[in-house]
Amino acid sequence: MMQNIFSSQSMENAHIYEFLTSPYESPFYSKSFDISHNDRRIGIIDQFNGKRPIIFNKDFFDKKKLELNIYQTLVLDSHIVDILHRYVSGIGKLDDNSKLVTRDFLVHVSSLNCDYNPVFYLTENFSKSSKEQFIKTSSGKLSSILKLHCMDEQEYINNNVIKYKKESVEHYCDKYKSVDLDNCGIAWANEFAENHHNNDYREITRLSYACLLKMVLIQFMYPKMSQENIIKKYYEFERFLIEDLNIILARELNLALYYFSNFAGKFVSVQPNMDVEGAKRALLSTAWDLLLLRIPEILLSPTHLPELNLSYIVTSEAKLLDIGDMFNISTVMYKDKKSPAFPILSFNVKKFEKVISEVNLDELNKHGQTLAISRITKAPKHISTQSVNWLIADLELQLSYLCK
């Protein structure tokens, strides 16, 4: 398959990351797992199924070998950032189980000495706030993250004490031209607000939100549970992606199959008797969750080769932990170093045993892969932001007729 893709002139600068058939185990995690104390848990989602990828690009075909420098990043969701801030600062309450699970998580990352960062929290908060509000709400949390980055890991593991390493504090104070870590947090928030002009994340979230609205409307119109009906709804949703949005979103397409099969649980929990404003808020929250799940393939960007960043989502949200186990990243394709990621995802086949035959599921999977490859080689132009907004307004109106 790879040779066929690279035979296309439009793909001669492509980079393809193959996880599904990779013989190489990840040096970090073999699967998703969580740290828990009673009903409190922090989970780490491995969407790579315990693998690190084979990378196919021009260098690989010319040299037959790539030397990679592999490192690990843990991407914190917004709730985890808030928990860590409460733990470090003492501002706000944490119950005993939350304190215990937070300590165990910090022991875990301290023993790995890996990067854990709030890039998603910053993106989400910036998109939802004015600049002034963003700086006000983010500064303290960023200070707490910096304090954790500066702590002596071994001292914390041995004695449960956050003790700062002088050289680390000096590094950040020099970097942010500040006198202490609290002021470093303010400087970090200001720097992000000044330099963050990329609307790509916001745009993809709006596209996801449109997809979720359409999924719910299709489900409401055809609620019957049968193999024939599930497949019919799946292809109706695919038609929406191609004809209305002119884009294939792999996560949304796969999620639609789970949702129509009644496996999406709390991740898409809108019901016909819900308040319409509550339903819209729930779907928009899920759209942001889908963006969070996309961060690992975004951070794989070939721009950084020969550095390879394997990143994992950290969350305490039950619905996110559930969806993280539904499908894994099989392949990620980049048309060139500057192009967005085009992932191909694999189904959790066992989950569908009672609702869709293995033959039909295999056909859907192959169809999805063929469609994804076709779209990336053609690279069709997406619809405009204004058109997406008009489409969302129409879908929200349709939803209002079906909800309270």
Side-chain angles (χ1 to χ4, degrees), residues 1 67 72 78 100 107 122 129 132 159 161 187 191-192 200 234 238 261 268 301 308 313 318 322-323 337 353 378:
M1 181 183 82
E67 296 293 337
Q72 174 188 14
S78 298
L100 287 169
V107 167
L122 291 171
S129 311
E132 294 74 18
N159 300 312
V161 173
E191 180 184 274
F192 187 90
D200 287 352
Y234 176 85
E238 182 188 278
S261 303
V268 187
S301 172
L308 175 66
I313 305 302
D322 290 342
I323 202 73
K337 284 191 172 183
E353 286 177 347
K378 293 177 182 176

Side-chain angles (χ1 to χ4, degrees), residues 294-309:
R294 284 187 162 93
I295 299 294
E297 65 232 32
I298 293 171
L299 294 183
L300 281 173
S301 172
T303 305
H304 307 298
L305 288 175
E307 291 188 339
L308 175 66
N309 186 350

Side-chain angles (χ1 to χ4, degrees), residues 47-269:
Q47 297 182 84
F48 306 127
N49 200 27
K51 300 286 189 70
R52 69 95 157 161
I54 309 170
I55 300 178
F56 298 96
N57 58 15
K58 191 173 186 301
D59 284 346
F60 173 82
F61 288 112
D62 288 345
K63 302 174 184 176
K64 304 302 180 186
K65 187 178 181 181
L66 290 177
E67 296 293 337
L68 298 173
N69 177 23
I70 305 174
Y71 61 100
Q72 174 188 14
T73 295
L74 297 180
V75 180
L76 310 176
D77 80 356
S78 298
H79 188 53
I80 295 295
V81 172
D82 182 62
I83 289 173
L84 293 177
H85 175 55
R86 289 170 184 244
Y87 184 86
V88 172
S89 68
I91 299 172
K93 293 183 179 180
L94 279 181
D95 59 56
D96 289 342
N97 287 323
S98 294
K99 290 177 183 176
L100 287 169
V101 78
T102 303
R103 166 170 162 75
D104 285 353
F105 170 71
L106 289 174
V107 167
H108 172 72
V109 297
S110 295
S111 63
L112 293 175
N113 197 25
C114 67
D115 174 39
Y116 52 100
N117 71 62
V119 59
F120 174 77
Y121 161 74
L122 291 171
T123 301
E124 182 180 32
N125 194 24
F126 184 79
S127 296
K128 294 179 177 180
S129 311
S130 66
K131 180 180 176 181
E132 294 74 18
Q133 185 67 17
F134 168 79
I135 293 170
K136 181 180 178 180
T137 57
S138 298
S139 298
K141 294 179 181 180
L142 293 178
S143 296
S144 291
I145 295 295
L146 289 175
K147 289 171 184 178
L148 291 174
H149 284 175
C150 289
M151 76 179 181
D152 184 317
E153 291 89 355
Q154 203 56 51
E155 180 74 21
Y156 183 77
I157 292 171
N158 293 339
N159 300 312
N160 194 26
V161 173
I162 297 178
K163 183 178 179 181
Y164 303 138
K165 292 181 287 189
K166 182 181 178 181
E167 63 274 18
S168 296
V169 174
E170 289 175 350
H171 165 76
Y172 285 114
C173 287
D174 181 62
K175 177 179 179 179
Y176 291 110
K177 305 294 186 290
S178 300
V179 296
D180 57 30
L181 293 176
D182 288 325
N183 281 284
C184 285
I186 297 171
W188 187 358
N190 274 286
E191 180 184 274
F192 187 90
E194 289 297 326
N195 298 325
H196 189 76
H197 304 300
N198 192 330
N199 288 323
D200 287 352
Y201 287 167
R202 189 179 299 177
E203 291 296 317
I204 195 66
T205 303
R206 294 289 286 170
L207 289 169
S208 287
Y209 177 56
C211 289
L212 292 163
L213 285 165
K214 186 63 178 182
M215 268 184 231
V216 168
L217 291 171
I218 292 172
Q219 179 73 342
F220 284 4
M221 291 176 65
Y222 309 105
K224 183 180 177 182
M225 265 295 296
S226 69
Q227 176 173 248
E228 180 182 11
N229 210 31
I230 291 168
I231 294 172
K232 174 184 176 182
K233 288 185 283 188
Y234 176 85
Y235 282 117
E236 172 65 15
F237 180 72
E238 182 188 278
R239 184 210 62 75
F240 168 78
L241 289 176
I242 296 172
E243 296 183 12
D244 293 357
L245 294 182
N246 200 25
I247 189 173
I248 291 295
L249 297 171
R251 273 191 177 72
E252 285 72 8
L253 190 57
N254 277 36
L255 178 62
L257 190 62
Y258 282 89
Y259 175 55
F260 298 146
S261 303
N262 283 346
F263 296 141
K266 294 179 181 179
F267 204 70
V268 187
S269 57

